[in-house]
Amino acid sequence: MTTFGVNDLDSRATFAVLSPNTGVGKNEERVLYVWVGRSADRSKCQLKLGSGKGSDDLEELDWNHVGFDVLIQMGLPKGINIKIVKEDEEPAEFLAMLKMEKQLVVLTLGSQIIVYQSGEGMPNMLFLYGMDFIEVLKKKHAAGTYRKMVIYVEACESGSIFEGIMPKDMNIYVTTASNAQENSLGTYCPEMEPPPPPEYITCLGDLYSVAWMEDSQGHNLKRETIKQQYEMVKERTANANDFVNGGSHVMEYGSRSIRAEKLYLYQKVLILPLLTSHPTITNYTWLWKL
């Protein structure tokens, strides 16, 4: 949670503010406010507008359309009411929301991205070719569709996708469950400790994936860095003592300077699908700087 108030509203920016739910399961009662600063600079907007008409002209821009774009890109119901709020013309209920510091969550659109891929790295499966994937990342970088990106890949031989070909200058940091020549391993398997429920005769998760997810669940993501999580996951995955030959080698590629950043800058996006369903999360006010 982040403290944010009226004094933090930037005249050169625009913000989208989703009001808290006032009734159980009644998303139609929520309101998306689009706050427009008097000197808003649309050229710095990180939201991809569905309409290019007048996107740089504040007088011609359809702000209701901008609000609709926010609903679409955030996966929110299209029926949520949209209200346009201009600087110095804020209604009382809008100002009241910004004073609810303990119920305000501040997010940023289109800046940091996390990608999690889990699959099989076996010869008889469909291939994800490293050069093809890297080419896609290069195009995304050239188009400026992200600021920074973190990629977690769970698969046998997953290091082979990036080893020797992943650029270090695209603001993309990658970790993989294994190097280019070894299997990744399961966990919560039969005869392990702890085992799965007795009715299961299979592993319930992949060790690398379970390691980073359980680490995220157990730590304050505003304090833990990507590097700290990487080191923990690397150690836990390598020391899989339930296996005769140990675990696998967690690898890292790309822009390692990103490792110093806090996890919440990326993993906070994992809660976005709950904005319309989770009874606790829908009681918060959500704010995006556009």
Side-chain angles (χ1 to χ4, degrees), residues 49-62:
L49 298 178
S51 171
K53 180 181 179 181
S55 59
D56 293 324
D57 191 328
L58 294 179
E59 297 301 323
E60 296 183 8
L61 188 62
D62 185 346

Side-chain angles (χ1 to χ4, degrees), residues 66-78:
V66 171
F68 188 75
D69 284 337
V70 173
L71 295 180
I72 295 299
Q73 294 191 36
M74 290 294 99
L76 296 166
K78 299 178 183 178

Side-chain angles (χ1 to χ4, degrees), residues 95-222:
L95 297 176
M97 282 194 304
L98 297 186
K99 295 179 181 179
M100 300 170 62
E101 296 180 354
K102 293 184 178 180
Q103 288 185 273
L104 180 65
V105 181
V106 180
L107 301 176
T108 304
L109 284 173
S111 54
Q112 289 99 340
I113 298 174
I114 183 171
V115 177
Y116 168 55
Q117 169 65 36
S118 179
E120 299 284 349
M122 302 297 289
N124 59 336
M125 299 291 181
L126 293 176
F127 288 109
L128 172 62
Y129 289 100
M131 291 302 298
D132 292 343
F133 186 51
I134 300 300
E135 190 62 30
V136 171
L137 296 179
K138 287 180 178 179
K139 290 180 179 178
K140 298 289 286 183
H141 178 258
T145 55
Y146 69 92
R147 190 165 70 87
K148 296 180 181 179
M149 186 185 303
V150 170
I151 301 176
Y152 293 173
V153 181
E154 167 70 68
C156 296
E157 295 87 35
S158 48
S160 63
I161 300 173
F162 307 97
E163 190 167 306
I165 59 174
M166 180 65 196
K168 298 181 180 181
D169 59 354
M170 296 199 305
N171 284 332
I172 300 176
Y173 175 72
V174 181
T175 76
T176 63
S178 63
N179 63 29
Q181 299 175 330
E182 65 183 351
N183 292 333
S184 59
L185 302 168
T187 191
Y188 298 128
C189 304
E191 300 182 2
M192 279 188 175
E193 188 59 43
E199 63 269 25
Y200 291 91
I201 56 173
T202 185
C203 301
L204 297 185
D206 297 303
L207 180 56
Y208 163 85
S209 299
V210 168
W212 77 259
M213 291 179 186
E214 290 187 346
D215 179 76
S216 293
Q217 288 180 330
H219 290 84
N220 184 336
L221 301 187
K222 283 197 171 184

Side-chain angles (χ1 to χ4, degrees), residues 2 42-43 46 48 65 74 79-80 89 153 162 179 206 223 246 269 271 286:
T2 302
R42 294 303 301 157
S43 66
Q46 299 182 53
K48 182 179 180 181
H65 191 91
M74 290 294 99
I80 290 180
E89 300 178 14
V153 181
F162 307 97
N179 63 29
D206 297 303
R223 296 181 179 178
V269 300
I271 60 177
W286 294 80

Side-chain angles (χ1 to χ4, degrees), residues 3 8 24 34 97 154 165 215 239 242 246 282:
T3 300
D8 296 302
V24 178
V34 178
M97 282 194 304
E154 167 70 68
I165 59 174
D215 179 76
N239 296 320
D242 297 274
T282 54

